């Protein structure tokens, strides 16, 4: 069965601290895609990154970095030098071919990140 | 500007009434989706559509209905058969396929009194 687990329900850190959001996934498919989305208080989810199952290279984008490890089925997200504007709910998601050509995507339950000034 | 619009942002309805949530996109995306989000939970898929005049049930389709008569529009009707309709509803679209990211609208918060 496919599953995405974000064990950290809420995280609160002081501004400028580094913070890592964990994501563990389960799938039997060899081809799959992992995503991170940000949901600010306004409610609209914003796409952050996509990673396919054949590409284990880590990625850095400014203060954001992602660590994909197939050996541990994890796709963790680190924010360096956090800022108040990073406060949001972050979702990890897994997409896989499924049983039809339709797009199947499963979201984790999300991690609420609060950055204190 | 390209994007997804949902209206209204807040909606109140009496129990037993059907209500339709609007979703429009001008991104020329083939695929559109409806999700439900409850407090402290992730997104659960209600319905999705890969092309016009075709749609499939997601994980929690009971008590909901959709139509896809135009590529740009994918309205969701919450019927009186939905036992617990109060939730935050998000519409999304994508180019289709499992590898493409989804673009989300601002959501509609439905409260049934």
């Amino acid at each position: 069965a496919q599953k995405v687990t974000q064990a950290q329900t809420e995280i609160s850190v002081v501004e400028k601290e580094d913070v890592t959001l964990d994501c563990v996934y389960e799938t039997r498919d060899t081809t799959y895609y992992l995503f991170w989305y940000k949901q600010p208080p306004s409610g609209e989810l914003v796409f952050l990154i996509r990673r396919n199952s054949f590409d284990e290279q880590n990625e850095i984008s400014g203060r954001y970095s992602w660590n994909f490890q197939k050996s541990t089925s994890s796709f963790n997200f680190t924010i360096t030098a956090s800022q108040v504007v990073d406060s949001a709910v972050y979702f990890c998601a897994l997409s896989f071919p499924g049983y039809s050509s339709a797009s199947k995507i499963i979201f984790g339950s999300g991690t609420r990140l609060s950055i204190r000034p | 500007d390209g994007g997804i619009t949902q209206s209204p942002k807040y909606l109140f309805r009496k129990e037993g009434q059907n209500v339709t949530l609007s979703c429009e996109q001008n991104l020329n995306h083939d695929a559109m989706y409806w999700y439900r989000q409850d407090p402290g939970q992730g997104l659960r898929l209600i319905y999705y559509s890969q092309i016009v005049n075709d749609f499939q049930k997601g994980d929690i389709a009971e008590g909901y209905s959709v139509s896809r008569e135009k590529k740009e529009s994918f309205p969701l009707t919450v019927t009186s058969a939905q036992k617990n309709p109060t939730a935050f509803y998000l519409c999304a679209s994508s180019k289709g396929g499992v590898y493409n990211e989804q673009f989300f609208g601002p959501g509609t918060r439905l409260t049934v009194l």
Side-chain angles (χ1 to χ4, degrees), chain B residues 30-102:
Chain B
D30 289 317
M32 296 188 74
Y33 312 83
W34 273 105
Y35 293 94
R36 169 179 172 144
Q37 185 179 20
D38 294 285
Q41 297 188 33
L43 279 65
R44 292 185 290 170
L45 184 64
I46 303 173
Y47 269 98
Y48 59 94
S49 169
Q50 297 295 299
I51 56 173
V52 175
N53 292 322
D54 186 54
F55 48 82
Q56 288 81 37
K57 294 181 179 180
D59 301 318
I60 56 167
E62 185 175 352
Y64 300 97
S65 66
V66 294
S67 63
R68 187 84 186 277
E69 297 177 359
K70 298 186 300 181
K71 188 176 185 178
E72 303 79 19
S73 178
F74 192 41
L76 173 74
T77 297
V78 184
T79 74
S80 56
Q82 168 51 232
K83 295 179 180 179
N84 185 20
T86 295
F88 187 53
Y89 291 87
L90 285 157
C91 179
S93 72
S94 77
K95 294 179 181 178
V98 296
Y99 44 84
N100 285 307
E101 68 272 23
Q102 296 183 11

Side-chain angles (χ1 to χ4, degrees), chain A residues 3 47 51 100:
Chain A
K3 186 178 180 181
F47 165 74
R51 175 67 72 226
S100 71

Side-chain angles (χ1 to χ4, degrees), chain A residues 90-103:
Chain A
Y90 290 86
F91 290 97
C92 181
L94 167 69
S95 180
F96 52 95
Y99 302 106
S100 71
S101 61
S103 173

Side-chain angles (χ1 to χ4, degrees), chain A:
Chain A
Q2 284 80 3
K3 186 178 180 181
V4 176
T5 301
Q6 294 181 257
Q8 303 153 309
T9 304
E10 294 191 36
I11 300 176
S12 181
V13 300
V14 176
E15 197 172 19
K16 297 184 183 178
E17 286 187 13
D18 298 347
V19 58
T20 296
L21 282 61
D22 297 333
C23 174
V24 174
Y25 62 93
E26 296 176 29
T27 181
R28 295 178 190 168
D29 292 89
T30 56
T31 300
Y32 54 88
Y33 297 82
L34 295 163
F35 302 82
W36 275 97
Y37 288 87
K38 174 182 180 180
Q39 186 179 38
S42 61
E44 182 174 338
L45 270 76
V46 177
F47 165 74
L48 295 177
I49 190 171
R50 171 184 56 240
R51 175 67 72 226
N52 73 59
S53 54
F54 300 106
D55 182 4
E56 287 194 73
Q57 283 190 342
N58 292 330
E59 182 152 341
I60 298 175
S61 176
R63 298 183 295 107
Y64 295 173
S65 63
W66 291 269
N67 183 293
F68 176 31
Q69 291 193 337
K70 289 179 72 172
S71 60
T72 57
S73 296
S74 64
F75 186 42
N76 296 337
F77 173 30
T78 297
I79 301 175
T80 303
S82 61
Q83 300 177 2
V84 173
V85 293
D86 295 326
S87 297
V89 180
Y90 290 86
F91 290 97
C92 181
L94 167 69
S95 180
F96 52 95
Y99 302 106
S100 71
S101 61
S103 173
K104 301 269 187 173
I105 183 167
I106 295 177
F107 286 84
S109 56
T111 297
R112 182 177 298 278
L113 177 64
S114 298
I115 310 298
R116 308 189 304 274

